[in-house]
Amino acid sequence: MRESAQAHRKDEHLSLGVNLWRQQNFLTPGASYEDVRWLPVVFPEMAVSDTDVSVDLFNHHFDWPFYIEAMTGGSELTGRINSQLAEVARTTNLAMAVGSQSIALKEPDLASTFKVARKQHPDGFLIANLGADHPIENVRAAVDMIDANAIEMHVNVAQELVMAEGDREFFWLDNLANVIAKSPVPVIIKEVGFGMSQSAIKTIQQLNPAAINIGGANGTNFAIIERRRNRQAETLNIDQFGLSTVESLISAQIMQNQYPIIATGGIQSANDVITSLMLGATLVSSAGFMLKTLMDDGQSALVQQIEGWQSALPRLLTLLGAQSNQELAEKQRLYSPSLQNFITQQKASPENR
Ligand SMILES: Cc1cc2nc3c(=O)[nH]c(=O)nc-3n(C[C@H](O)[C@H](O)[C@H](O)COP(=O)(O)O)c2cc1C
């Protein structure tokens, strides 16, 4: 198959993204998951069998509080990966998002590289994905393409600005308001990995989305990926830009956000899932870490890894004396001095809101 420049970009994102994870090269700004410690409960007075880690959201019952986040589709190679990820999602009963379907709207031959996810996971909760500038007609087409249960509209100003061929104009709010009002499925507004401040969350709340994915800078770093793709000298270096996932979650808490929050960015263990839930996330998702396992160790290794998380979650809840994910939010935790400093500054600055 002869591939377009956009399809080639998909393959480059894949190989550079996996390489970042192999090298553990994230240059994470701000607080990470290690900056949040759990306090021992000692007397949980409950059994592991008392726990319930399921989540009700979007009028759907999710058996697990985490899912496979948006990455692939749009080229022959990434179509194969969508197929494998969807098979893993079906085996482990997880939800899954596909990568941006914009390319398949321009090149309809490539729709099959996304549709394969529905083929492999016929009864699964699948999430469509498009950029924030796509009009409602495209949203309907992307949802139809995979018979999606929800759609993520991704916001990625930082990524576009580093990309040589990226957008330079960002007028998204009116379009997003229209999409949210008219979409046939719940709309999630999603950052691709630079996090969200209190004021960004406040702006999104005014659009009334079904959920906000704060997509923090803690894992896959598109500033580095795009800089490596961009061989021109005048590229931007914003490798250390953004709020981490932990900082973004805490920002939502400080402003007493009531919209469902999804945590993405650097999730690589059941412990990270627990900390995210503790910091107010309703759902958690993981992209690059799962992709690396799939690419390096294969499909059954990824299934095993996910099953490991699924077996750990009820035990971790018990460790913390919580019967449900919601109860985790009330559990005591210790913040590192640098994270405590972030919280103090954020609480003290009304202009942040
Ligand atoms: C290879 C690759 C491709 C991605 N493509 C998309 C995409 O098309 N749309 C999107 O919203 N996010 C995309 N992402 C971002 C992820 O969904 C996620 O927000 C980000 O990688 C942070 O999570 P992580 O640290 O677990 O990887 C991609 C990530 C990777 C690694």
Side-chain angles (χ1 to χ4, degrees):
M1 193 193 287
R2 210 183 136 70
E3 300 207 314
S4 65
Q6 210 180 343
H8 181 63
R9 180 160 87 217
K10 297 281 160 190
D11 291 348
E12 284 191 322
H13 281 164
L14 180 79
S15 65
L16 290 168
V18 171
N19 271 337
L20 279 190
W21 279 91
R22 286 188 186 126
Q23 300 156 358
Q24 294 284 310
N25 182 1
F26 312 124
L27 289 176
T28 303
S32 66
Y33 281 94
E34 286 70 46
D35 290 295
V36 183
R37 288 169 59 204
W38 312 333
L39 289 193
V41 169
V42 183
F43 302 105
E45 295 297 306
M46 60 177 277
V48 173
S49 58
D50 294 331
T51 59
D52 177 4
V53 296
S54 68
V55 173
D56 288 301
L57 187 66
F58 310 138
N59 284 324
H60 182 84
H61 184 76
F62 295 85
D63 283 341
W64 301 102
F66 68 95
Y67 65 89
I68 303 175
E69 193 50 271
M71 288 183 282
T72 54
S75 67
E76 203 178 339
L77 171 65
T78 58
R80 277 203 301 278
I81 293 169
N82 258 351
S83 170
Q84 293 173 353
L85 287 173
E87 217 179 322
V88 168
R90 186 189 69 222
T91 310
T92 54
N93 194 18
L94 288 193
M96 169 184 162
V98 296
S100 175
Q101 294 160 267
S102 148
I103 187 168
L105 301 179
K106 277 192 223 137
E107 303 176 49
D109 284 358
L110 291 171
S112 60
T113 67
F114 296 95
K115 284 177 192 252
V116 69
R118 178 51 79 197
K119 203 168 143 203
Q120 293 288 6
H121 201 4
D123 303 320
F125 191 95
L126 289 187
I127 307 173
N129 187 292
L130 280 179
D133 58 339
H134 281 269
I136 182 66
E137 299 73 41
N138 292 9
V139 166
R140 290 200 183 100
V143 168
D144 282 351
M145 194 185 296
I146 60 165
D147 191 15
N149 304 82
I151 184 163
E152 297 172 336
M153 300 297 284
H154 67 253
V155 290
N156 63 341
V157 175
Q159 179 187 11
E160 295 288 343
L161 289 173
V162 180
M163 232 192 270
E165 73 278 31
D167 290 341
R168 296 293 182 261
E169 291 173 10
F170 306 98
F171 302 98
W172 290 338
L173 289 172
D174 288 348
N175 182 55
L176 287 175
N178 191 45
V179 162
I180 289 168
K182 296 184 181 156
S183 169
V185 293
V187 178
I188 303 160
I189 305 295
K190 169 183 183 286
E191 235 300 335
V192 299
F194 297 91
M196 288 192 188
S197 61
Q198 294 182 65
S199 69
I201 294 166
K202 188 171 170 191
T203 304
I204 295 174
Q205 288 173 336
Q206 284 155 5
L207 300 171
N208 198 24
I212 303 173
N213 184 332
I214 47 84
N218 220 33
T220 304
N221 183 326
F222 272 96
I224 299 181
I225 291 176
E226 296 300 349
R227 205 159 50 75
R228 289 190 178 165
R229 279 190 59 240
N230 183 351
R231 289 160 196 101
Q232 295 163 17
E234 73 276 17
T235 183
L236 293 185
N237 181 336
I238 52 167
D239 293 359
Q240 306 251 24
F241 173 75
L243 285 182
S244 70
T245 306
V246 164
E247 290 169 338
S248 303
L249 286 170
I250 287 182
S251 297
Q253 285 199 314
I254 291 174
M255 61 178 297
Q256 298 179 337
N257 164 69
Q258 298 297 317
Y259 281 80
I261 291 283
I262 302 173
T264 309
I267 306 293
Q268 42 186 321
S269 66
N271 295 30
D272 295 344
V273 174
I274 291 284
T275 301
S276 303
L277 297 171
M278 197 179 239
L279 296 178
T282 301
L283 276 176
V284 182
S285 61
S286 178
F289 179 72
M290 291 193 174
L291 183 66
K292 179 192 170 291
T293 304
L294 179 72
M295 302 294 284
D296 286 355
D297 307 318
Q299 230 170 296
S300 49
L302 181 55
V303 168
Q304 258 183 22
Q305 187 175 81
I306 291 170
E307 287 175 347
W309 291 18
Q310 291 172 332
S311 131
L313 287 173
R315 283 181 283 154
L316 291 174
L317 247 66
T318 309
L319 177 73
L320 297 174
Q323 296 196 359
S324 66
N325 303 333
Q326 291 82 350
E327 282 182 27
L328 281 174
E330 292 143 29
K331 296 295 166 187
Q332 283 186 293
R333 72 291 310 257
L334 278 179
Y335 297 137
S336 71
S338 63
L339 180 53
Q340 187 57 51
N341 178 33
F342 171 84
I343 295 169
T344 308
Q345 284 193 42
Q346 290 295 310
K347 281 188 174 162
S349 314
E351 69 273 16
N352 289 337
R353 267 156 245 168

